[in-house]
Amino acid sequence: MASGRRESEQAQQTLAPEMLRYLEHVRVQKRLAARTQTLYLLDLQRLQAMAADAATPALQLTSGHIRRFVAQMHSAGRSGRGIALILSGWRGFYTWAGREGLIAHNPVQDVRAPRSPKPLPKALSVDDAVRFAESANAQGDPWVQARDTAMVELMYGSGLRVGELVGLDVVASDHARGWVDLQAAEAHVLGKGSKRRTVPVGKEALAALHAWLQLRTQGIPAAGQCDPALFIGVRGARLSSASVWQRLRERSVAAGMTTPVHPHMLRHSFASHVLQSSQDLRAVQELLGHASITTTQVYTRLDFQHLAQVYDQAHPRARKKD
């Protein structure tokens, strides 16, 4: 611990006087945690080193210098989020320097970090999705297993959001947010922005729903008074989104899945698998209820990732030599 303190003190001794004053301001006035103070120190060390490479004192740097530093960090492999955190530290220093009358303009004020690519949504493989849907616990409560199987089949088979799933009622009505028409094999849901859409329901989901509806009111106290919700808990009340998350997590653990399954993972799996088979991005957009095609385009990256894996495994020129 003492050695760590000495290293920090030695590092501070290499900083310009104005930077040391700022660190003292941060320590005394802001009373930030020791870890945060260390991060501020590292940010200033980086700024001073890059300023030295540019042969310009830190207080004389311009926005052009800062943008060049951002490009250098990005080309060196630092993520957009990491660069944004560094810029935040620099911005704080220059804001303080402006209040102290040391600079006329904050060179970091209008500089932004590169956008980080959105992470690919996690999706199950087709085999894992089918295994998860069929993984009912034979030793568990048949009522709970029938309900959970119907929920899984409907989310994976129709790409429903968890909020759309729990909003479904048993029958259509003026007050229902959504319902399933078993005869037409369609689910009518209320999505984001209060937009309604109709999606097809597959045969496996229909079979699971029929099985669930036969058991739904069994064992419920005052069954005639239970909630009109399609999916209810053991006391007859509508299931919450949090309850669905928990049920899927428990089911995935019981099924021996390597990653806990959550509702959006089933929606992502639905979209990815339909796109892999159909290559129809517009159709996937409609099925998911996306207002913009750009939202759906993330699945083209996911699909390409799948195709790249197939290529690497199958093409003789792609296989790496041992």
Side-chain angles (χ1 to χ4, degrees), residues 17 53 63 87 97:
D53 288 342
S63 296
L87 288 177

Side-chain angles (χ1 to χ4, degrees), residues 27 38 50 60 62 117 119 155-156 172-173:
R27 185 182 69 82
T38 300
M50 300 186 89
Q60 295 179 24
T62 66
M155 281 188 286
Y156 173 54
S173 72

Side-chain angles (χ1 to χ4, degrees), residues 154 160 164-190 196-199 201 209 228-231 238:
L154 195 51
L160 301 189
E164 295 167 349
L165 180 86
V166 298
L168 295 172
D169 282 357
V170 175
V171 296
S173 72
D174 293 338
H175 306 292
R177 290 171 53 196
W179 63 91
V180 177
D181 186 334
L182 296 177
Q183 295 295 326
E186 294 175 345
H188 302 266
V189 299
L190 185 67
R196 292 195 175 275
R197 76 179 190 282
T198 301
V199 294
V201 178
L209 285 168
L230 177 58
F231 296 110
R238 184 183 299 270

Side-chain angles (χ1 to χ4, degrees), residues 43-213:
D43 287 342
L44 292 178
Q45 285 180 314
R46 181 179 287 105
L47 177 63
Q48 182 162 279
M50 300 186 89
D53 288 342
T56 306
L59 292 179
Q60 295 179 24
L61 292 173
T62 66
S63 296
H65 287 110
I66 301 298
R67 289 192 177 91
R68 192 186 317 151
F69 298 164
V70 167
Q72 290 171 357
M73 290 188 288
H74 192 239
S75 63
R78 189 171 292 275
S79 69
R81 176 172 171 75
I83 294 173
L85 291 173
I86 292 170
L87 288 177
S88 177
W90 292 357
R91 196 173 290 115
F93 165 66
Y94 282 113
T95 298
W96 169 85
R99 288 200 300 266
E100 294 292 308
L102 301 177
I103 58 173
H105 174 69
N106 187 335
V108 190
Q109 189 59 45
D110 298 322
V111 180
R112 296 291 178 266
R115 286 188 177 182
S116 296
K118 290 184 178 180
L120 289 175
K122 293 181 179 179
L124 298 169
S125 68
V126 173
D127 289 343
D128 282 346
V130 171
R131 178 162 65 92
F132 180 69
E134 297 176 347
S135 63
N137 183 3
Q139 307 302 319
D141 183 340
W143 188 91
V144 173
Q145 296 303 313
R147 181 199 63 193
D148 291 357
T149 297
M151 291 193 304
V152 170
E153 291 286 4
L154 195 51
M155 281 188 286
Y156 173 54
S158 299
L160 301 189
R161 300 179 177 92
V162 64
E164 295 167 349
L165 180 86
V166 298
L168 295 172
D169 282 357
V170 175
V171 296
S173 72
D174 293 338
H175 306 292
R177 290 171 53 196
W179 63 91
V180 177
D181 186 334
L182 296 177
Q183 295 295 326
E186 294 175 345
H188 302 266
V189 299
L190 185 67
K192 285 186 176 181
S194 298
K195 294 182 179 179
R196 292 195 175 275
R197 76 179 190 282
T198 301
V199 294
V201 178
K203 64 177 182 179
E204 297 295 341
L206 287 173
L209 285 168
H210 278 294
W212 160 238
L213 289 172

